[in-house]
Amino acid sequence: MVLLEPVPATPSSLTRTADVRYRSPPWEPPCGLTEAVELLCLLVFVADVSVKGYLVGWSQFQKNLWLLAYLTVLAVSLVDWAVSLSLLCQEPLRLRRLLRPFFLLQNSSMMKKTLKCIRWSLPDMASVGLLLAIHLCLFTMLGMLLFTVGEKDAEPNRERLAYFRSLPEALTSLLVLLTTANNPDVMIPAYSKNRAYAIFFIVFTLIGSLFLMNLLTAIIYNQFRGYLMKSLQTSLLRRRLGTRAAYEVLSSMPGQAGATPEAIGVKPQNFLQVLQKVQMSHSHKQALMEKVRSYNDVLLSIDEFQKLFDELDKSVIKEHPPRPQYQSPFLRTAQVFFGHQYFDYLGNVIALSNLVSICVFLVLDADVLPGNRDDFVLGILDCIYILYYVLELLLKVFALGLWGYLSYPSNVCDGLLTSILLVLEISTLAVYGFPHPRWKPETLGLLSLWDMTRLVNMLIVFRFLRIVPNMKPMAMVVSTVLGLIQNLRAFGGILVVVYYVFAIIGISMFRGTIVAPLGNSSLAPANGSASCGSFEQLEYWANNFDDFAAALVTLWNVMVVNNWQVILDAYERYVGPWSKIYFVLWWLVSSVIWVNLFLALLLENFLHRWDPRSHEQPPAGTSEATYQMSEELMFRDILEEPGDEELMEKLRRHPHLWLCR
């Protein structure tokens, strides 16, 4: 449970637009509403830290820095919450807002590991950052000297006036050029005067963007190379340690046959009794019980005991229900035909033709006014396609049976979309009648019923993507990308934390600084006087920090670094030159550090997942063919099994476990 903006708080984001020219006054919750929800969450965290402290003991609690920080953050948050209520929610700064991301970090072991790896990488990243800073400073001074050579009072250098007027402006211009966001704009004034000036900008870009920035990526990847394997190796060690501890406890239970070393082992009946009380998935529990019963009354050795727990690394592949049995030869033949994969291919071809027909009409009607469009042909085509989709659904239910049809996720998606499409089409025909020449269903509201039908029609064509699993290279890429989502959750969580912290800081510093222009809201007269490419001329008024949602979008636009110099310039004029520090720090954290970390992990995961050993499939007909391997089984040949002596040594030093032998 994590507390990150639980309900709309001040400043509220509940407005239709973030544009300061059109934004209506937002709804502000009364004092005490969000505070009540916040107190409930804080009390849950208090209970959580209390239980953890009780379980680990005070001596271990004092040694754990994360738990001590957890307790401190909770205490500060509760005090700050009390101050807010005492001031009737009118306090200028809520310190607990900046502390909320800690709860997300505290409750994720993977995020803690990721932060540790980032901390290890900081010294090497700092060395490259120092090289980048030296590179920027040298070329800034060189540029300011270069673009004043031969300058006359009557004819000032346009390059200097536009980009190198002062040291801060020159440094900002080259920093933005490092991201190539203002290329070739920053070069054009000087290049138009003398083509030799292009050498300055080309050399700067080659050294900075293509060499130093890529060197930073290489250093980060080198630091994170093996990150996934280290994580899996640590996880394997902990699992083996837990398994060995369970074996030692169960083998020392009273009633074991004999006391000699040869008779040491776990009695299957004792294992089954404990297993009945364990909470785990039904499929895993059944698999374990079947394996244990196969040993009868033979004591389980440590190797046999460990092999039992390998079942937990497997997930059972869901089997589809049997197809219905028909007596008629004609119906059996039809069942084979409509249940064949080629019938799916036919549906994909029809869906593709639907997409093509919609695209053709969109192109033909692009220059036609809505009042002059004739939707007769498109209406007829939609009726035909919908009839086919409904017929396909019914035929598949006939061939596979209802439960067999629903056992395929793609069929569930198709059936849901087809049902929605059928309801909308029937409603359209009931309201507007059947299609006829010059048929123009009127638009009611933002989207008419007819427009909604065409949008759902666009959704149905995504069935064409079902051919991806049948194309092995493409299926491998898709499965790799889907698998990466799980491995990159820790980095996604850290990105959420960073976004949240910078958004709260941005709101505190820049809220209300972007003000709507005077006059009417269209700003048409003012655009003519604004300089080309400026914040006002581009109408970037929605890029502000007036509420939490707007701050997130603004930070995203800066992270992408496309035209981010426009936002830097605007906040420099509206707030002051110091605002650049905030945006440059955000660029360093998000675009330079986090994106490169993401790229490093992406490469690491792809290299391991594309290893041929990770794609070996068990022979068909074996029991392993009904299971899907987990990551630890996939990389079992690469991971190093911990030794017996290492496990026993760790168990003997465990403060809460006393071994009998």
Side-chain angles (χ1 to χ4, degrees):
M1 187 176 182
V2 179
L3 183 62
L4 294 179
E5 295 298 322
V7 292
T10 303
S12 175
S13 303
L14 297 180
T15 55
R16 185 178 61 88
T17 177
D19 196 314
V20 295
R21 299 169 298 171
Y22 314 120
R23 185 178 58 208
S24 58
W27 173 76
E28 299 291 349
C31 181
L33 177 61
T34 59
E35 285 71 20
V37 178
E38 194 171 10
L39 178 61
L40 178 62
C41 296
L42 290 175
L43 291 178
V44 172
F45 291 135
V46 169
D48 179 56
V49 73
S50 302
V51 171
K52 289 180 178 178
Y54 172 77
L55 293 176
V56 302
W58 177 244
S59 59
Q60 293 294 325
F61 190 95
Q62 290 178 303
K63 299 177 183 179
N64 194 314
L65 296 179
W66 278 102
L67 290 178
L68 291 176
Y70 195 4
L71 185 61
T72 304
V73 169
L74 271 176
V76 173
S77 299
L78 288 171
V79 171
D80 191 62
W81 178 87
V83 171
S84 294
L85 284 187
S86 63
L87 297 177
L88 299 178
C89 307
Q90 298 299 320
E91 74 280 13
L93 176 65
R94 295 185 180 182
L95 183 61
R96 64 186 183 277
R97 282 182 172 176
L98 291 173
L99 300 178
R100 286 173 184 169
F102 177 84
F103 300 120
L104 181 63
L105 296 174
Q106 155 64 26
N107 290 281
S108 173
S109 59
M110 285 301 296
M111 291 179 67
K112 293 177 184 177
K113 294 178 183 178
T114 304
L115 284 177
K116 185 181 295 185
C117 290
I118 293 175
R119 188 183 63 186
W120 293 340
S121 304
L122 283 178
D124 291 325
M125 288 190 288
S127 62
V128 180
L130 181 60
L131 285 176
L132 279 172
I134 295 174
H135 173 67
L136 274 172
C137 292
L138 288 178
F139 273 82
T140 298
M141 292 184 290
L142 181 60
M144 294 192 68
L145 295 172
L146 180 64
F147 298 120
T148 56
V149 174
E151 184 180 33
K152 300 178 182 178
D153 294 338
E155 187 181 354
N157 192 302
R158 289 190 301 142
E159 180 73 30
R160 186 183 68 82
L161 292 178
Y163 300 103
F164 291 85
R165 181 186 295 271
S166 62
L167 185 63
E169 288 189 13
L171 192 62
T172 303
S173 298
L174 290 182
L175 177 64
V176 175
L177 180 59
L178 200 62
T179 66
T180 69
N182 60 351
N183 186 67
D185 299 352
V186 68
M187 183 180 67
I188 291 302
Y191 181 60
S192 300
K193 183 178 179 180
N194 191 328
R195 68 176 72 241
Y197 282 126
I199 299 175
F200 171 83
F201 297 98
I202 292 175
V203 172
F204 174 82
T205 305
L206 282 174
I207 297 176
S209 299
L210 301 182
F211 178 71
L212 292 179
M213 294 299 289
N214 288 321
L215 178 62
L216 179 63
T217 303
I219 289 176
I220 293 175
Y221 174 71
N222 183 64
Q223 286 292 100
F224 273 78
R225 187 176 56 188
Y227 169 80
L228 176 62
M229 289 299 102
K230 289 179 182 178
S231 175
L232 292 178
Q233 186 68 51
T234 303
S235 176
L236 179 64
L237 175 61
R238 289 179 177 177
R239 296 186 65 176
R240 292 292 183 263
L241 197 62
T243 304
R244 187 55 187 262
Y247 176 81
E248 294 295 331
V249 172
L250 290 175
S251 62
S252 61
M253 289 180 64
Q256 298 286 26
T260 60
E262 291 78 5
I264 291 177
V266 175
K267 198 173 182 179
Q269 287 76 8
N270 293 337
F271 187 89
L272 290 174
Q273 291 177 4
V274 175
L275 191 60
Q276 292 290 347
K277 303 177 182 179
V278 175
Q279 294 183 356
M280 65 173 62
S281 65
H282 179 73
S283 58
H284 285 146
K285 181 176 289 188
Q286 290 297 323
L288 280 175
M289 293 177 67
E290 290 178 5
K291 288 277 188 179
V292 174
R293 290 193 184 103
S294 64
Y295 287 95
N296 297 322
D297 294 329
V298 180
L299 294 181
L300 300 175
S301 66
I302 179 59
D303 293 332
E304 294 170 337
F305 189 81
Q306 176 57 56
K307 289 179 181 179
L308 290 175
F309 285 89
D310 288 341
E311 298 295 325
L312 299 177
D313 291 328
K314 305 173 183 178
S315 57
V316 180
I317 299 177
K318 184 179 179 181
E319 296 183 359
H320 300 288
R323 298 187 178 187
Q325 300 293 328
Y326 297 105
Q327 299 298 327
S328 172
F330 173 76
L331 293 180
R332 288 200 299 267
T333 304
Q335 182 184 29
V336 172
F337 177 77
F338 295 121
H340 200 275
Q341 60 179 354
Y342 287 135
F343 187 65
D344 287 337
Y345 295 160
L346 176 62
N348 293 330
V349 172
I350 298 297
L352 180 61
S353 65
N354 190 359
L355 174 64
V356 172
S357 65
I358 294 175
C359 292
V360 169
F361 279 97
L362 289 176
V363 172
L364 294 178
D365 294 340
D367 298 326
V368 181
L369 296 176
N372 298 328
R373 293 177 182 174
D374 187 359
D375 295 322
F376 168 67
V377 178
L378 187 57
I380 293 295
L381 288 176
D382 278 340
C383 290
I384 295 174
Y385 281 118
I386 292 172
L387 287 176
Y388 174 80
Y389 297 149
V390 174
L391 180 63
E392 182 189 34
L393 187 153
L394 296 176
L395 291 175
K396 283 189 174 182
V397 171
F398 158 78
L400 303 175
L402 179 60
W403 297 114
Y405 177 86
L406 295 177
S407 65
Y408 293 89
S410 59
N411 287 340
V412 174
C413 181
D414 292 345
L416 180 62
L417 290 173
T418 301
S419 302
I420 297 175
L421 188 60
L422 179 62
V423 172
L424 290 175
E425 182 67 16
I426 293 175
S427 302
T428 303
L429 297 179
V431 174
Y432 302 113
F434 286 93
H436 53 80
R438 308 301 299 172
W439 188 49
K440 295 185 286 290
E442 58 183 277
T443 301
L444 303 174
L446 180 63
L447 287 175
S448 68
L449 192 61
W450 175 238
D451 290 330
M452 292 177 63
T453 304
R454 287 192 287 185
L455 286 177
V456 177
N457 229 344
M458 292 292 293
L459 293 176
I460 206 75
V461 301
F462 281 103
R463 300 186 311 166
F464 188 70
L465 297 177
R466 291 185 306 176
I467 67 171
V468 170
N470 297 322
M471 303 174 63
K472 289 186 178 180
M474 191 180 300
M476 188 180 298
V477 173
V478 173
S479 63
T480 303
V481 172
L482 293 177
L484 288 174
I485 297 176
Q486 182 178 2
N487 292 329
L488 298 178
R489 285 182 302 177
F491 271 77
I494 291 179
L495 182 63
V496 169
V497 169
V498 173
Y499 259 98
Y500 181 88
V501 171
F502 271 85
I504 294 298
I505 295 175
I507 292 173
S508 302
M509 294 192 302
F510 305 129
R511 182 186 176 191
T513 56
I514 303 297
V515 184
L518 299 176
N520 59 37
S521 60
S522 64
L523 199 66
N527 273 345
S529 59
S531 59
C532 182
S534 65
F535 188 89
E536 295 79 8
Q537 190 269 334
L538 294 173
E539 299 188 354
Y540 276 14
W541 301 101
N543 288 313
N544 56 66
F545 289 86
D546 290 351
D547 57 69
F548 186 73
L552 292 179
V553 176
T554 304
L555 291 175
W556 171 264
N557 292 335
V558 175
M559 188 183 78
V560 177
V561 301
N562 185 31
N563 271 358
W564 71 301
Q565 73 276 9
V566 176
I567 300 177
L568 262 68
D569 175 71
Y571 279 89
E572 180 187 10
R573 289 186 283 107
Y574 284 101
V575 181
W578 59 268
S579 62
K580 290 183 179 179
I581 300 176
Y582 170 84
F583 290 104
V584 171
L585 283 176
W586 168 246
W587 169 73
L588 285 173
V589 172
S590 62
S591 186
V592 175
I593 297 179
W594 190 89
V595 171
N596 280 295
L597 290 174
F598 177 82
L599 180 60
L601 276 189
L602 194 70
L603 291 173
E604 180 72 6
N605 278 268
F606 261 105
L607 289 177
H608 283 288
R609 285 182 173 271
W610 280 62
D611 192 318
R613 290 176 293 180
S614 65
H615 301 290
E616 294 178 356
Q617 298 296 329
T622 61
S623 59
E624 289 78 5
T626 59
Y627 293 100
Q628 185 176 4
M629 289 191 300
S630 68
E631 284 185 342
E632 291 195 2
L633 277 183
M634 189 182 300
F635 299 124
R636 182 59 53 82
D637 294 337
I638 304 175
L639 298 177
E640 181 181 354
E641 284 285 346
D644 186 71
E645 295 181 359
E646 178 185 2
L647 295 176
M648 293 301 297
E649 180 63 26
K650 289 183 178 293
L651 289 179
R652 292 189 184 98
R653 291 185 299 173
H654 198 281
H656 304 294
L657 182 65
W658 292 270
L659 300 179
C660 297
R661 59 186 180 88

